[in-house]
Amino acid sequence: MSEQLNEYSDDSSAGKATMEKITSLAKRRGFVFQSSEIYGGQNGAWDYGPLGIELKNRIAGAWWKEMTRLHDNIVGLDAAILMHPRTWEASGHVENFTDPLVDCKKCKSRFRADQIPQENLAAKKCPDCGGELTDTRKFNLMFKTHIGPAEDTASIIYLRPETAQGIYVNYKNIIQSNRMKIPFGIAQIGKAFRNEIVTKNFIFRTCEFEQMEMQYFVKPGTDEEWFAEWRKQRWAYYEKLGVKMDHLRWHQHGPGELAHYAKDAYDIEYLFPLGWRELEGVHNRTDYDLGRHTQYSGKDLQYIDQDNNNERYIPYIIETSAGLTRNLLMILCDAYDEEQVAEKGNDDDWRTVLRFHPDLAPITVAVLPLMKKDGLAELAQDIRTELKEDYSTDYDQAGAIGRRYRRQDEAGTPFCVTVDYQSKEDGTVTLRFRDSMEQIRVPRAELAGRLRQEIRTYKRMK
Ligand code: GAP
């Protein structure tokens, strides 16, 4: 019986993804580490290790391609995190970006009032220790700090709580520099910061995170049509990434849930091991943001439609807003699988496998010499060097070949290339597929092309 079987099969979570398993695998394999771990960790902040940063970059790359390269009328932007403080008065965040907060006077635990049982709130009774709760007060989620040497009210500056505002304040610059015509979009990926009250659940809700947002500027009156269109496109995007579609659903915001800027909003929710949770939001923000920035900046932010008798209007905005770090958690959960693999004389053997789409996998191909000796390691290194130009690669010569395959399965590497004695004789190598564990022989000269074809035609089996 393998050591992994003990880990899984003696509890009811055998074969299933749980947050504990995902968190433990993420640390063990270098996807995600707790921030400042040697000092006991920093709540709400996480560090992305060697496999994590590769995965995050690929998720960001897939989104960027989808939202900019595949659209002639969407361009990119990278705006500063620090923005003029008036931005956040105009956007409504200073006034409205709050959560209701209660503290326990006895055990000092802090809760979001909307996330504890109503009976506890009504009785002012702590759900953890039964102690007395404080009155509910509003807590602004923006991180506030000072810029410059003087710490006075004139030097207050905020860390942006959403990337969207950097797009709105640049909308005129982009129209002018890039001759954009409505409808058009601006896409951005970047850090956002929120002083979240509850940050348990790994990287699901953190104080420092990354967003992938696209703001689409449309003529008023066409907004509902574009709102429906973007919902359709964002749904199709996850399908293209190979995400389990029965783990996705829509949730339309009710009147009490709508953000202060939104006329209508739908979330794409994913069935995390925690239950159904928001993954991405699609919002009809109307002319709220550009209207408010007009008012607060005194600048004319109307669009002038030169193809339509210079008609002037403030565009409506349809926003698609996805968390990059939350997408990474979703991709990890979605890819996670434990499989009982019958092998000769050992049909109890289990493997953990991350079934990443090859476009997202941190390592695309691992090259493994069957033995270190007899020139096999040198040949394998040579093959790796050749593949490096086109693919992200790994090389592993330590331990039995079966164990090396398992290590790559756990990192989500879709292809392994094994170099053996026959490779020296006839120039062929073994290509092993992560999902099916099937192995075929391929001439070395055809390897790069074969991998390209496999990636292009990849279909998830399970
Ligand atoms: N610009 C609109 C906006 O920020 P949001 O619903 O507050 O809307 C959009 O956030 C997405 O950002 C969410 O769907 C989620 O994926 C991600 N997100 C929000 N807060 C987060 C947090 N504290 N930690 C990680 N991701 C977060």
Side-chain angles (χ1 to χ4, degrees), residues 112-295:
R112 262 178 65 169
D114 54 347
Q115 287 182 352
I116 60 172
Q118 277 310 299
E119 52 275 22
N120 287 72
L121 199 59
K124 289 191 153 187
K125 192 171 167 196
C126 173
D128 283 357
C129 76
E132 190 190 349
L133 293 176
T134 60
D135 287 337
T136 305
R137 62 188 190 282
K138 279 186 172 179
F139 171 74
N140 195 295
L141 296 181
M142 280 197 296
F143 280 103
K144 201 195 262 186
T145 184
H146 295 272
I147 194 158
E151 291 203 0
D152 54 24
T153 47
S155 69
I156 286 175
I157 196 148
Y158 299 96
L159 298 186
R160 67 181 178 198
E162 61 169 6
T163 59
Q165 300 299 327
I167 294 182
Y168 304 147
V169 300
N170 275 295
Y171 129 96
K172 273 263 153 151
N173 285 338
I174 288 179
I175 289 184
Q176 281 153 12
S177 60
N178 290 62
R179 294 182 293 130
M180 305 305 287
K181 289 190 178 203
I182 273 179
F184 73 92
I186 304 175
Q188 174 166 224
I189 300 177
K191 292 240 175 182
F193 301 84
R194 297 183 188 175
N195 199 356
E196 299 281 2
I197 299 165
V198 180
T199 54
K200 53 184 189 207
N201 295 331
F202 193 33
I203 56 171
F204 178 79
R205 186 182 304 286
T206 51
C207 293
E208 177 176 346
F209 58 100
E210 281 174 76
Q211 289 187 313
M212 308 184 285
E213 298 200 305
M214 194 281 298
Q215 315 295 326
Y216 204 70
F217 298 81
V218 305
K219 188 170 179 176
T222 65
D223 52 305
E224 289 185 11
E225 197 183 308
W226 280 113
F227 185 50
E229 173 60 22
W230 277 108
R231 291 203 307 272
K232 204 167 89 195
Q233 294 215 19
R234 293 308 301 154
W235 187 262
Y237 168 75
Y238 288 109
E239 198 158 21
K240 201 159 126 185
L241 275 192
V243 173
K244 291 175 189 153
M245 294 312 281
D246 60 351
H247 278 49
L248 289 178
R249 71 176 187 193
W250 284 107
H251 165 72
Q252 185 178 15
H253 285 209
E257 285 175 281
L258 281 172
H260 60 274
Y261 49 71
K263 164 178 155 187
D264 201 355
Y266 282 77
D267 291 337
I268 297 181
E269 293 185 337
Y270 181 80
L271 184 55
F272 289 93
L274 306 160
W276 288 100
R277 293 284 190 287
E278 175 183 346
L279 176 67
E280 154 159 10
V282 184
H283 311 130
N284 183 347
R285 294 182 74 133
T286 69
D287 56 0
Y288 174 84
D289 297 278
L290 291 181
R292 295 271 294 196
H293 285 304
T294 302
Q295 195 188 329

Side-chain angles (χ1 to χ4, degrees), residues 296-313:
Y296 278 71
S297 69
K299 299 285 185 312
D300 181 2
L301 298 180
Q302 289 180 101
Y303 175 75
I304 305 167
D305 188 349
Q306 290 170 343
D307 300 333
N308 216 350
N309 297 324
N310 289 335
E311 188 188 353
R312 287 166 175 264
Y313 56 83

